[in-house]
Amino acid sequence: MKNRLVEYRKTFGYSQERLAARLGVSRQTIISIEKGKYDPSLNLAFQLANVFETSIEKIFLYEEKGEEKS
């Protein structure tokens, strides 16, 4: 799943470490989400949306498997 987490994190002035601490997860979890290697749980996605005062859909961009961008 693609996401805009890096963009939101930098806009709000969070380091990966600070965001991880705020959410109670490891820095590696934040790195993995940012790289698209790990999809967060629904609970963590809601927590991220709350931190950045937006909706989950604005942070995480859903694409069907096999769907290609033109």
Side-chain angles (χ1 to χ4, degrees):
M1 179 180 331
K2 293 190 179 202
N3 67 73
R4 299 170 59 205
L5 186 54
V6 173
E7 178 184 336
Y8 275 94
R9 181 174 57 75
K10 288 182 177 182
T11 297
F12 279 73
Y14 280 93
S15 65
Q16 291 171 331
E17 189 171 330
R18 184 171 162 228
L19 180 59
R22 172 139 185 214
L23 298 169
V25 298
S26 70
R27 180 173 167 262
Q28 187 60 43
T29 298
I30 300 301
I31 292 168
S32 295
I33 294 170
E34 288 182 352
K35 290 183 176 183
K37 294 184 178 198
Y38 172 73
D39 292 334
S41 67
L42 188 55
N43 184 50
L44 183 53
F46 272 112
Q47 288 178 323
L48 284 162
N50 187 48
V51 167
F52 299 125
E53 302 170 357
T54 192
S55 66
I56 292 173
E57 295 87 354
K58 296 216 175 167
I59 300 172
F60 297 97
L61 312 170
Y62 179 76
E63 290 183 343
E64 292 284 338
K65 287 193 180 214
E67 185 177 311
E68 294 181 18
K69 281 195 147 187
S70 305

